[in-house]
Each structure stands twice: as C-alpha cells, then as structure tokens.
C-alpha cells in the first residue's frame, strides 16, 4: 500500500504542474485585460499604467511569467490583488467559508444518497424506487442557480408569511454578532441551511443513481447468493456483504465530483450573497484581477487533483485488486 | 395503388446500392429494433414529444404568437393570463415571447456545443483507440489533464473575456465545447480498442481495406449508439452550463438574451412578479428534463444489456 501511495503521489505532481500551466496560459491569453480598469479611470497617467504593467510582468513572455509566478507560488507568495491586498490571506479566509458549505453539504448528500440508492436497489421497481428515480432526474436536470433562487424565494416567502426570521437568505453569518462562540456557530448553521439544501439536492441526484446501480450489481453477484444459501441473516447479507462492496465505486465518484461541487458552490454562494470563494472569483473576474484569478484557479486545481488522488488511494485501499497500476 | 396491384410477382428488384450490399440488411434491422425498444419506453416517448413541441415553439413560436419580443404592450406587470400566457414585465414586454427568444438562443448554443464537442471527442477517441501506442498515450494523458481542470470555473474565467460583447454566442459555444469532449473521447476509445481486434475488422483488412475505410465504414457505425446517447445528454448538460454562465453575467450578452439571463433578471423581482422568474426557469428545466429522459430511453434502447447508471 505504501509503494502504491508513493507512486500515485509522484504521478500527481506533474499533473498539478501541467494543469496549473494550462490554466495560467488560458487566463493570460483569454482572461481579459487586467489594465482595463486602470485605463478607464480618469486622471491616470500613461506612466502609472506602464508601472502597473511592469508590476504584473505583463511585458514578459507567457512562459517566463508562468515561471516567475509558479516559483513565487511554491514559496506561498501569490502576489497582490488590484486593490493592493495580499492574495494569500484573502484566499485562505474565503476558502474557509466555502469549505464549510461544501464539506457540510457533501457529507449529508453522501449519507442520503447511499440510503436512497440502496433502498431503491433492494426494493427495485417499487413505488419508492420509481419516485426516487423520478426526483433524481428532476434535480439532475435542474440548474443549480434556479434551485438556489427558488429556495431563497421560498425562504423569504415563509419568513414574511409567519412574520419571523427563520431562514437566513443573505450572507454566511450575521455581521458583528456577539454572544460567544456557541451563538456564532448557531448563527452560521442557520445561514448554512438553504445553500446546503441546494447543493445536497443536486449532488444527491446523481450519487443516489450511482449507488443504486452499484448496489444492484453487487446484489446479483454470486457471493451474495452463497451467503444467503449458507443461511446468513438477510440483514447481515445486506449490510456486511452487499453494502460494504457497493460503497466502493460511490466513494470514488464523490471524490471525482469535487470539481462539480466547487462549481455549484460558486453559483450557490452568488445567489445567497456569501462572501466566499465564489464571490472572490466573480469579483476578481469583473475587475480582471489576474493575481486573484490565478491564485483561485491554482487552489481549485490542487484541491481537485488532491481529491482525485484521494479517490485513487481509497479505491486501492478498499479494492486491493486495483493497486497494480 | 394501381401500380402495386399490377406489378408482376418476381419482377427484378431495384438495384441495390453499394452501401446496401455491405450493410443494408443488418443495419436497418438493428436500428428498427432500437426504435421498437425506444417506443416501448413510455416516459422517453412522452419526453420526446414534449421536447419537440418546446423546440419547435422556440424556433417558430416567435412568428406564431400575437406579440413580438420587443413589442411594448399596454399591459404592464400583468400576471399570466389568456392574453399573456407568461405575463408581462414592468414596461409591457410579453414574457412568453421573451422566453421563446431566450430559449432559441440557449438551444442554438447547446446544439452547437453538442455537435462540436461530439466531433472533437469522437475524433480523439477514434485516433487513440485505433492507433494505440504513443498516439493513445499522448491523447489520453491530455484527456485526463482536461478532466482535472475544474471546468465550470475555468469556463467562467475564459468567457469573462467575451463578457458584455454582443453577438458572443459563437465564441461562448466554442469555449464550452472545449471542456465537454473528454467523456466521449474515453468512451469511443474504449469501443475502438475492443472492436479493432474483432474478426470482421481483420477480414476487412485482409481484403485490403485502408485504415480510413475500416474506421469510417466498419468501426464508426458500430460505435454510433453510444455516441448518439452521449451527444443527447451533452445537449442537456450544455444548456444548463450556458444558462448558468449567463445567469452569473458571463454568458450571452445583451441585447441578445438566453434563458439564463431571463431567470437572472426575473430573480430580482421574484416576490412581486413571480412569473418573470418562474416561467423562464420552468421552460428551461422542462427542456433539460426531457433531454435527459430521452437520452436515458435511447441508452436503454440501444444497449438493453447494460445496467450502467448515469454518472
């Protein structure tokens, strides 16, 4: 297992480098003019613009820019935003907010998806199965932004109807809230509900279908019949023999889907007005803030590749037959 | 009818074309079987009917309904009624006309993305699966690399360049297609890897068929099923992606519009004029839902053996 882990880790490093390079070139060539904002402002001299261009190394060839940027990024220096703020602390703060949403939603979505998918497989073609399948299709087809906006709308309507503020629809926490640690956490949890429900419903849709398929495959396997024939109790067959093996593919799918969840989080955060990674990216893009965009994409790429790596390792751990490569 | 009644039994049949000699019989019966299996799938057939209606409405509806999308009617902010099925906005635009116009743009982008990314994906899959070796290695590493890029986020970044430029739908389609080809490339490669070892390919090669002929005449028709299914589902995925980009303000730019932009504009007023938000959204979800049902029905019809689920 150790050799397998090291080999996989070694393969990931060039992938990170190549991926970050592609992304860097894409942003540098197609990401818009980072000086546009400066040019439009009145009273900015040609000299200031030229200075800014030098600061951002825009006068150098792309390859050299990537080299400079990557070397700095390895030492943890991600440069400064257009406003002069250091990018790294900004990014870390925003990442905390977004990860809170992503981690919370993913955990709940996985639990629900495994339960619903397995139930659908055990009771194949039952009313439950058909209903679950239909709703999986509906949420699978639903764009994240629409579902998020609907939930926000419904939340506001309920608040107005009962004249009490039970659903928070703006921001990730109430600004300037005192009252100690517990109070703050409770407030954060309240703000977390609607955005999480959005992400949970969307990701659960495909994962539950996947779990259902995987469970069906396992339930039809010979060793399940053997276990039943030996007289193992139905419960034990289901949980010990079937579910454990059916979970393997789903675990990997969840890790691989991380990029999709991240994209969904960007949209959800925008709808609910969170100041997380999503806001950082959208604002950065509107201002053509290259350093922010590059740093954002680097973090996203590293996260996605780490999750892919985690999926690989987990798969290797759960199913030793796949460790050969 | 008269011709038919008098045609002599055993008259020479019309000369078969080249293609029919090679494929005719087997090909028609295979696709006929697929059609029969698809027609048995009630939900898929219903979805197909609804989808055709929605698509036709989007492309032709503008000229059939009473109002033009840029016409200012005398009804301001009116709720859905018989006169205005989807209501009107504050300055009297008929929302139904607006939705049809937005849907047309969204559909054009989605279809273009599906065609482009299917072509690219199929080409890469064919080359990798047929030629194997170094070509396969290079192309598949490239595919893996693209799969590790968080595509929606990168799409946001790249399309930011065309933000606000009117008439950017072509650029937008190209950009989206650039991140949608990977899955098909892998699927086609897998099929080609297994098919190229089969006897009928060996036979064709023994008869002196060129690579080009083997690929186009023997292998590609045999992998058409999965390609069609994938292309159908891609239309659904593309329409959702385009509308999401437009919703965030990085997609279709005014004066052009798409369903995503309409939803974004309507979301602001969702409490007072709910129809401006819910109607375009419903139209969008209905299109995407129907596409997914049709795609699923097609998959079952083309390959009934497999028990694979939507990943």
């Amino acid at each position: 297992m150790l050799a397998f882990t090291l080999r996989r880790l070694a393969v990931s490093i060039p992938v990170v480098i190549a991926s970050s390079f592609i992304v860097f070139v894409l942003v540098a060539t197609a990401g818009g003019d980072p000086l546009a904002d400066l040019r439009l402002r009145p009273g900015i001299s040609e000299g200031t613009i030229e200075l800014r261009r030098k600061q951002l190394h825009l006068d150098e060839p792309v390859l050299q820019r990537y080299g400079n940027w990557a070397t700095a990024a390895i030492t943890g220096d991600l440069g400064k935003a257009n406003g002069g703020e250091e990018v790294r602390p900004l990014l870390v703060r925003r990442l905390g907010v977004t990860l809170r949403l992503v981690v919370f939603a993913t955990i709940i979505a996985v639990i629900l998806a495994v339960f619903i998918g397995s139930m659908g497989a055990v009771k194949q073609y039952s009313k439950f199965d058909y209903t679950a399948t239909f709703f999986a299709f509906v949420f699978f087809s639903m764009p994240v932004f629409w579902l998020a906006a609907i939930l926000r709308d419904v939340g506001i309507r309920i608040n107005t109807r009962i004249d009490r503020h039970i659903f928070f629809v703006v921001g990730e926490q109430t600004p300037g809230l005192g009252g100690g640690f517990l109070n703050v956490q409770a407030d954060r949890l309240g703000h977390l509900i609607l955005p999480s429900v959005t992400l949970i419903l969307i990701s659960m849709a495909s994962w539950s279908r996947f779990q259902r398929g995987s469970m069906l495959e396992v339930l039809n396997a010979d060793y399940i019949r053997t276990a039943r024939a030996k007289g193992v109790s139905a419960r034990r067959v289901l949980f010990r023999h079937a579910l454990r093996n059916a979970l393997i593919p789903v675990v990997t799918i969840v890790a691989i889907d991380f990029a999709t969840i991240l994209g969904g989080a960007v949209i959800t955060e925008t709808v609910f007005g969170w100041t997380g990674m999503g806001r950082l990216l959208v604002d950065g893009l509107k201002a053509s803030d290259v350093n922010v965009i590059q740093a954002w994409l680097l973090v996203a790429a590293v996260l996605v590749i780490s999750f892919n790596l985690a999926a690989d390792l987990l798969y290797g751990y759960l199913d030793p037959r796949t460790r050969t490569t | 009818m008269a011709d038919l009644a008098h045609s002599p039994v055993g008259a020479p049949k019309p000369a078969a074309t080249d293609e029919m000699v090679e494929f005719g019989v087997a090909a028609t019966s295979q696709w006929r079987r697929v059609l029969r299996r698809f027609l048995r799938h009630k939900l898929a057939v219903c979805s197909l009917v609804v989808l055709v209606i929605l698509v036709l409405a989007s492309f032709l509806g503008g000229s059939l309904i009473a109002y033009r999308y840029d016409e200012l009617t005398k009804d301001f902010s009116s709720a859905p009624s018989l006169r205005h099925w989807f209501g009107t906005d504050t300055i009297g635009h008929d929302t139904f006309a607006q939705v049809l116009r937005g849907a047309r743009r969204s559909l054009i982008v989605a279809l273009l993305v599906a065609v482009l990314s299917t072509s690219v994906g199929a080409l890469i899959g064919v080359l990798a699966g047929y030629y194997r070796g170094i070509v396969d290695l290079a192309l598949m590493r490239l595919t893996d690399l693209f799969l590790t890029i968080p595509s929606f986020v990168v799409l946001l970044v790249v399309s930011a360049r065309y933000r606000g430029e009117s008439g950017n739908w072509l650029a937008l389609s190209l950009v989206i297609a650039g991140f949608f080809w990977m899955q098909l490339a892998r699927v086609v490669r897998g099929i080609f890897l297994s098919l190229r070892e089969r006897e009928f390919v060996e036979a064709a090669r023994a008869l002196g068929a060129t690579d080009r002929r083997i690929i186009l005449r023997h292998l590609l028709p045999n992998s058409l099923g999965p390609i069609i299914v994938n292309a159908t589902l891609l239309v659904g995925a593309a329409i959702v992606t385009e509308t999401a980009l437009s919703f965030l303000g990085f997609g279709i730019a005014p004066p052009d519009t798409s369903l995503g932009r309409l939803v974004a504009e309507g979301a602001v007023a969702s409490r007072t004029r709910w129809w401006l938000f819910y109607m375009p959204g419903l139209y969008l979800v209905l299109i995407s839902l129907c596409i997914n049902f049709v795609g699923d029905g097609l998959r079952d019809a083309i390959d009934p053996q497999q028990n694979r689920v939507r990943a």
Side-chain angles (χ1 to χ4, degrees):
Chain A
M1 192 66 203
L2 183 68
F4 174 72
T5 310
L6 289 177
R7 206 159 48 226
R8 283 279 138 176
L9 207 59
V11 173
S12 306
I13 292 168
V15 177
V16 170
I17 295 172
S19 175
S20 73
F21 178 69
I22 289 187
V23 163
F24 187 92
V25 173
L26 272 177
V27 175
T29 54
D33 179 13
L35 303 171
D37 187 43
L38 219 53
R39 275 192 238 276
L40 286 176
R41 244 182 284 166
I44 298 279
S45 71
E46 218 27 66
T48 319
I49 295 178
E50 204 48 47
L51 191 70
R52 184 83 186 131
R53 189 203 298 281
K54 281 253 159 54
Q55 274 175 358
L56 292 172
H57 304 288
L58 293 180
D59 47 352
E60 293 164 14
V62 173
L63 210 62
Q64 198 178 341
R65 276 167 64 193
Y66 175 73
N68 290 338
W69 176 79
T71 332
I74 289 171
T75 62
D77 175 17
L78 294 170
K80 287 193 173 77
N82 278 358
E85 198 182 347
E86 280 286 339
V87 171
R88 192 162 70 129
L90 182 70
L91 200 66
V92 170
R93 205 166 55 238
R94 298 296 188 88
L95 190 62
V97 172
T98 299
L99 283 183
R100 197 158 70 213
L101 170 64
V102 167
V103 171
F104 182 76
T106 306
I107 291 174
I108 295 188
V110 168
I111 295 173
L112 286 175
V114 166
F115 175 74
I116 293 174
S118 309
M119 275 281 283
V122 173
K123 300 190 189 307
Q124 199 186 4
Y125 302 133
S126 65
K127 273 221 177 70
F128 176 85
D129 188 24
Y130 279 121
T131 320
T133 304
F134 182 77
F135 278 103
F137 265 93
V138 169
F139 287 117
F140 185 81
S141 311
M142 204 176 270
V144 181
F145 66 89
W146 202 58
L147 183 60
I150 287 183
L151 287 175
R152 195 180 66 148
D153 188 43
V154 169
I156 296 175
R157 275 169 201 274
I158 293 177
N159 282 347
T160 353
R161 180 66 59 84
I162 61 170
D163 207 20
R164 269 180 56 198
H165 198 67
I166 51 167
F167 287 116
F168 296 94
V169 291
V170 177
E172 71 279 6
Q173 55 188 330
T174 313
L177 185 79
F181 178 76
L182 273 181
N183 207 4
V184 171
Q185 293 308 320
D187 176 64
R188 285 184 172 173
L189 195 65
H191 282 86
L192 204 55
I193 291 175
L194 288 179
S196 309
V197 171
T198 312
L199 281 186
I200 289 169
L201 287 176
I202 300 262
S203 18
M204 205 176 71
S206 64
W207 294 346
S208 67
R209 297 293 298 155
F210 206 83
Q211 170 72 21
R212 178 180 177 275
S214 153
M215 190 74 173
L216 272 179
E217 208 167 289
V218 170
L219 283 177
N220 289 325
D222 290 338
Y223 71 88
I224 295 292
R225 198 189 312 133
T226 312
R228 282 203 185 112
K230 278 198 314 185
V232 179
S233 76
R235 213 186 136 79
R236 206 180 151 81
V237 168
L238 204 59
F239 286 97
R240 271 302 184 73
H241 297 249
L243 189 59
R244 277 180 77 155
N245 281 306
L247 279 178
I248 299 174
V250 180
V251 163
T252 38
I253 278 294
V254 171
I256 288 168
D257 267 359
F258 183 76
T260 320
I261 306 174
L262 206 60
V266 168
I267 299 172
T268 312
E269 282 185 0
T270 315
V271 173
F272 287 99
W274 282 40
T275 40
M277 291 283 275
R279 176 77 156 279
L280 188 65
L281 181 69
V282 172
D283 287 351
L285 285 173
K286 287 189 173 156
S288 295
D289 202 333
V290 263
N291 279 341
V292 170
I293 303 171
Q294 298 285 21
W296 205 110
L297 288 171
L298 178 69
V299 170
V302 169
L303 278 174
V304 169
I305 292 168
S306 315
F307 271 84
N308 276 312
L309 178 68
D312 261 5
L313 294 181
L314 217 53
Y315 211 115
Y317 173 71
L318 293 169
D319 189 349
R321 287 169 301 180
T322 58
R323 275 183 222 168
T324 46
T325 46
Chain B
M1 285 306 265
D3 278 1
L4 234 148
H6 290 286
S7 70
V9 185
K13 293 203 173 84
T17 60
D18 224 18
E19 197 161 340
M20 276 175 74
V21 171
E22 199 167 2
F23 289 119
V25 181
T28 40
S29 77
Q30 186 201 344
W31 288 105
R32 202 167 284 163
R33 269 206 308 280
V34 167
L35 182 69
R36 202 184 315 131
R37 275 198 296 262
F38 182 78
L39 289 177
R40 267 208 300 269
H41 204 308
K42 283 195 206 86
L43 192 58
V45 176
C46 289
S47 304
L48 186 61
V49 173
V50 176
L51 186 63
V52 168
I53 294 173
L54 290 177
V55 171
L56 282 181
S58 310
F59 280 95
L60 308 171
S63 49
L64 295 179
I65 61 169
Y67 307 97
R68 283 175 47 80
Y69 67 84
D70 52 358
E71 185 179 332
L72 296 173
T73 64
K74 291 195 186 67
D75 311 299
F76 305 127
S77 300
S78 65
S81 61
L82 280 179
R83 271 166 67 88
H84 301 281
W85 290 2
F86 287 8
T88 58
D89 67 6
T90 35
I91 53 173
H93 286 131
D94 182 63
T95 311
F96 189 47
Q98 299 266 356
V99 167
L100 291 185
R101 175 173 176 244
R104 186 171 61 212
R105 180 54 76 218
S106 292
L107 280 169
I108 289 175
V109 170
L111 289 172
L112 201 58
V113 168
V115 169
L116 287 172
S117 50
T118 301
S119 318
V120 173
L123 182 67
I124 289 184
V126 164
L127 293 178
Y130 189 79
Y131 291 106
R132 298 188 300 189
I134 187 86
V135 182
D136 182 28
L137 195 74
L139 288 176
M140 280 305 112
R141 286 295 82 77
L142 184 74
T143 312
D144 288 347
L145 199 58
F146 264 80
L147 282 170
T148 61
I149 295 175
S151 59
F152 183 75
V153 178
V154 176
L155 271 175
L156 265 182
V157 174
V158 178
S159 55
R161 187 196 173 91
Y162 306 102
R163 187 165 66 95
E165 283 176 25
S166 58
N168 62 353
W169 59 273
L170 194 64
L172 190 67
S173 318
L174 287 172
V175 168
I176 299 178
F179 288 93
F180 267 52
W181 54 268
M182 292 86 79
Q183 204 186 346
L184 183 69
R186 284 183 150 187
V187 171
V188 172
R189 169 182 175 266
I191 298 173
F192 265 58
L193 276 180
S194 81
L195 281 185
R196 76 187 296 285
E197 307 296 335
R198 297 271 283 273
E199 286 84 355
F200 69 91
V201 177
E202 212 173 311
R205 197 170 289 135
L207 287 170
T210 57
D211 282 357
R212 199 184 124 109
R213 189 178 169 85
I214 292 177
I215 290 174
L216 292 180
R217 280 299 185 78
H218 297 274
L219 295 176
L220 216 48
N222 274 304
S223 38
L224 213 52
I227 293 180
I228 292 173
V229 171
N230 200 289
T232 315
L233 296 174
L234 268 181
V235 179
I239 207 165
V240 168
T241 303
E242 178 273 314
T243 48
L245 288 174
S246 300
F247 178 82
L248 292 176
F250 294 92
I252 298 293
D256 204 352
T257 196
S258 88
L259 287 175
R261 265 180 52 86
L262 288 174
V263 172
E265 286 161 10
V268 186
S270 65
R271 288 179 59 214
T272 46
R273 294 178 293 278
W274 55 269
W275 55 90
L276 292 181
F277 165 71
Y278 281 97
M279 289 310 187
L282 269 177
Y283 203 90
L284 166 62
V285 171
L286 211 53
I287 291 180
S288 122
L289 189 62
C290 286
I291 292 175
N292 283 331
F293 276 136
V294 170
D296 202 59
L298 270 178
R299 164 148 52 209
D300 285 350
I302 285 170
D303 194 355
Q305 299 301 312
Q306 71 178 1
N307 200 12
R308 213 171 42 190
V309 287
R310 305 145 52 74

